[in-house]
Amino acid sequence: MPAGILTTLAADKPVLDTGHTAFMLISAALVMVMTPGLAFFYGGMVRVKSVLNMLMMSFISLGIITILWTLFGFSLAFGTDHGGFIGGTDWLGMRHIGITQLWPGYGIPIYVFAVFQLMFAVITPALISGALADRVRFTAWALFITLWAIVVYFPVAHWVWGTGGWLAKLGVIDFAGGTAVHINAGAAALGVILVIGKRVGFKRDPFRPHNLPLVMLGAGLLWFGWFGFNAGSWLGADGVAAVAFTNTQVATAAAMLGWLGYERIRHGSFTTLGAASGAVAGLVAITPACGSVSPMGAIAVGVIAGVLCAWAVGLKFKLGYDDSLDVVGVHMVGGIVGSLLIGLFATGGVGQTAKGLFYGGGFGQLGKQAVGVVCVLLYSLVVSAVLAKVIDLVMGFRVSEDDEVSGIDQCEHAETGYDFAGVGSAARLGGLPVAAESKAVTGKKNETASPAQAAEPKVDA
Amino acid sequence: MKLITAVIKPHRLDEVKTALQDFGVQGLTVTEASGYGRQRGHTEVYRGAEYTVDLVPKIRIEVLAEDADADELIEVLVKAARTGKIGDGKVWSVPVDTAVRVRTGERGPDAL
């Protein structure tokens, strides 16, 4: 999506290219699987009593954002430009898009571009959820991501990637989402947690991850899906996509090693959580840069991101904000690292012609990158904090302290993640679904029914 | 009769079970437990945050024995459970009034 390179794929008059189109459809599916991957990544890191809520906060984004995107999101982000800030209303409801109509300058249909971009819009709000573990009402979260997509994501995607977007016109390079996705989500997470506060027991109780294998599974799915995210962002299957693909792998490997090395020196062990986190930090950092740097540059970006993020996740304890699963420490910091390093390591010979400081380009590109970073960060931080404050005043953003301590899965979802008992004590039939309206199903506090009765009714029992 | 209770390291369970079977024990009950003794807990690190885990996993074994066998059984059990390192666990016994075999209704030593 980088501006200014529109003609490299297909010279003067692009025609539909089935190879590019097939690659992009598969890339869209790869990006889709990142959201469930993220759910596992986060879900394994919380305690047993809130795993389902953590999974659902990501999963619901697939539902809500998909519909918003279809209704007006794609049009607002990528429709006809209005002043560089927002797209138009020409594609509301995805109408007036011909199935043979190509995305301007490329060999792929607009529909392919729209569904590929949809997956980015889905995962970005889901990224925020990691900072809000254990403590927010599900309806408040659903409302938040709805409003956030409308007033933050759709406009920012337009600034960065939209035809005529003001950051794109300025020359800010964001190949696949360092600013629009990662800084955007990380800053939003910071804004919300500054409003809603810490988990009960922050800095006092141990918040041990309940399932590290699940975290590793999630990290693996993210890594896999990220090839679609990064290489697919070239919107075509050719040598530049291959370089982006290579850089994605190289930087991620380097960041994992960087994080592991840092924690071995600082804390004495190579941890699985460190390996998974380092990999994600590398994926984040190379996202904006994968179309600008060489594989050697990708190693530098990866190592720097791995070490810096490993250090940054400790800041929350020093500064006292509860960034529960380190969305700020990994995504905001990693996004900033990757976006700024373009200003140093861009070779000018991959997908973009802009050169970084180390390749004789001077400070120009670094300055542009800094403008992109600061603008997206501040906009997302401030607007997200305001949204969180409004939602908190209107309906209350957090669950009660009681519900938080006893477990958000039961009070918000009327379910339990795992049945450890296995001896029949866990559940008793509380009423078949047809007769159950008065019980359990409302999902909010079951004062009358015991937790056992609220547990899943089995139709075949 | 005596109820002998042992809290041991999980990885010693197989040795203890075999030793008790060889000794002639006809049945026992095993429970997964958590606890600490002088060994205290251990430290774990997650993204640089260090957590002291106080309660470590243990295995609790309960076995009924006739008074005459109890001392020797405890010795067998302790020998099988010992690694010589801190955290090996504890064994104790208490007197038991009665025991009933559910299937037959037999009482006392006959129920063992």
Side-chain angles (χ1 to χ4, degrees):
Chain A
M1 282 146 286
I5 44 87
L6 300 180
T7 51
T8 48
L9 275 175
D12 309 324
K13 234 180 169 215
V15 289
L16 179 85
D17 184 305
T18 52
H20 293 329
T21 302
F23 168 68
M24 290 310 299
L25 286 171
I26 291 166
S27 291
L30 282 170
V31 182
M32 180 272 158
V33 89
M34 290 169 68
T35 296
L38 180 77
F40 292 141
F41 182 67
Y42 283 162
M45 268 188 264
V46 295
R47 289 165 292 175
V48 164
K49 61 186 179 181
S50 38
V51 55
L52 295 177
N53 178 251
M54 202 69 251
L55 296 174
M56 272 295 276
M57 285 171 86
S58 285
F59 226 77
I60 195 65
S61 185
L62 281 162
I64 292 173
I65 305 299
T66 300
I67 301 303
L68 293 180
W69 190 256
T70 309
L71 293 177
F72 51 79
F74 176 59
S75 194
L76 289 183
F78 292 101
T80 310
D81 177 61
H82 284 76
F85 286 93
I86 192 79
T89 53
D90 25 359
W91 289 328
L92 285 185
M94 312 230 2
R95 290 174 308 149
H96 312 304
I97 304 174
I99 56 170
T100 57
Q101 206 178 340
L102 300 183
W103 185 242
Y106 291 86
I108 59 171
I110 293 181
Y111 264 105
V112 173
F113 179 73
V115 81
F116 178 68
Q117 279 296 329
L118 157 62
M119 303 309 175
F120 285 63
V122 165
I123 194 170
T124 308
L127 288 169
I128 304 168
S129 66
L132 315 181
D134 298 356
R135 60 192 186 285
V136 302
R137 294 178 59 198
F138 190 65
T139 40
W141 168 250
L143 180 61
F144 175 77
I145 62 171
T146 303
L147 299 175
W148 190 82
I150 296 169
V151 298
V152 181
Y153 186 78
F154 300 154
V156 170
H158 183 80
W159 302 355
V160 176
W161 293 322
T163 312
W166 73 276
L167 287 175
K169 276 200 291 200
L170 191 68
V172 175
I173 295 174
D174 186 356
F175 195 81
T179 54
V181 174
H182 295 288
I183 293 175
N184 204 359
L190 186 58
V192 176
I193 55 185
L194 291 178
V195 170
I196 68 165
K198 307 161 193 161
R199 285 168 293 178
V200 175
F202 179 67
K203 290 218 279 194
R204 184 193 69 214
D205 299 343
F207 294 122
R208 242 196 330 173
H210 89 284
N211 189 337
L212 285 173
L214 202 62
V215 175
M216 293 299 264
L217 172 73
L221 281 172
L222 283 170
W223 193 333
F224 178 68
W226 225 293
F227 292 117
F229 200 86
N230 284 359
S233 286
W234 183 241
L235 304 184
D238 65 4
V240 177
V243 173
F245 193 114
T246 305
N247 285 341
T248 303
Q249 176 70 10
V250 171
T252 306
M256 179 169 78
L257 298 178
W259 188 304
L260 284 173
Y262 176 88
E263 69 174 2
R264 175 70 176 80
I265 293 166
R266 282 292 302 273
H267 307 290
S269 307
F270 300 111
T271 68
T272 48
L273 184 58
S277 312
V280 172
L283 289 163
V284 169
I286 199 62
T287 292
C290 62
S292 310
V293 303
S294 69
M296 295 309 290
I299 292 180
V301 170
V303 170
I304 293 168
V307 172
L308 263 180
C309 291
W311 166 79
V313 296
L315 289 178
K316 64 180 177 184
F317 297 113
K318 292 197 186 92
L319 303 178
Y321 58 91
D322 184 7
D323 176 18
S324 313
L325 309 180
D326 301 309
V327 182
V328 180
V330 174
H331 293 274
M332 194 177 97
V333 173
I336 293 171
V337 167
S339 297
L340 292 182
L341 288 182
I342 293 172
L344 304 182
F345 290 106
T347 63
V350 191
Q352 278 102 355
T353 50
K355 287 189 163 105
L357 180 64
F358 296 166
Y359 289 82
F363 287 94
Q365 192 60 37
L366 186 60
K368 291 177 188 172
Q369 295 304 112
V371 171
V373 165
V374 170
C375 291
V376 172
L377 196 157
L378 286 182
Y379 180 74
S380 180
L381 178 76
V382 171
V383 176
S384 304
V386 171
L387 282 180
K389 190 74 200 169
V390 169
I391 290 175
D392 199 35
L393 289 174
V394 171
M395 62 187 295
F397 213 125
R398 291 183 67 144
V399 297
S400 71
E401 190 173 327
D402 238 20
D403 286 339
E404 186 184 331
V405 170
S406 58
I408 194 166
D409 284 359
Q410 272 195 11
C411 76
E412 287 294 298
H413 305 291
E415 292 171 305
T416 314
Y418 307 91
D419 183 0
F420 290 122
V423 286
S425 64
R428 194 161 62 82
L429 193 62
L432 292 168
V434 279
E437 298 106 38
S438 59
K439 279 189 179 176
V441 187
T442 51
K444 289 258 333 165
K445 356 213 132 64
N446 291 294
E447 262 109 6
T448 49
S450 75
Q453 284 168 323
E456 67 254 70
K458 296 190 186 78
V459 191
D460 59 348
Chain B
M1 278 176 301
K2 292 265 170 50
L3 170 65
I4 297 156
T5 305
V7 175
I8 63 165
K9 284 187 169 162
H11 73 272
R12 299 308 291 175
L13 175 61
D14 281 343
E15 284 81 353
V16 169
K17 222 169 57 186
T18 311
L20 292 180
Q21 269 159 7
D22 292 347
F23 181 74
V25 168
Q26 297 287 327
L28 50 77
T29 305
V30 173
T31 322
E32 288 179 38
S34 322
Y36 66 86
R38 306 237 170 114
Q39 153 201 26
R40 304 300 301 194
H42 59 270
T43 308
E44 296 184 1
V45 189
Y46 297 97
R47 283 184 176 165
E50 291 191 7
Y51 297 133
T52 304
V53 181
D54 286 328
L55 302 175
V56 292
K58 293 284 168 189
I59 289 287
R60 178 188 174 108
I61 298 173
E62 285 162 306
V63 52
L64 284 165
E66 291 198 52
D67 290 340
D69 297 333
D71 279 346
E72 207 182 330
L73 193 154
I74 289 173
E75 225 162 275
V76 167
L77 201 164
V78 167
K79 199 160 152 250
R82 178 177 294 149
T83 67
K85 296 205 188 87
I86 200 161
D88 270 355
K90 292 260 184 304
V91 181
W92 62 90
S93 77
V94 290
V96 171
D97 282 346
T98 187
V100 183
R101 189 192 305 281
V102 172
R103 176 168 56 86
T104 59
E106 289 165 290
R107 283 180 168 265
D110 290 340
L112 297 183

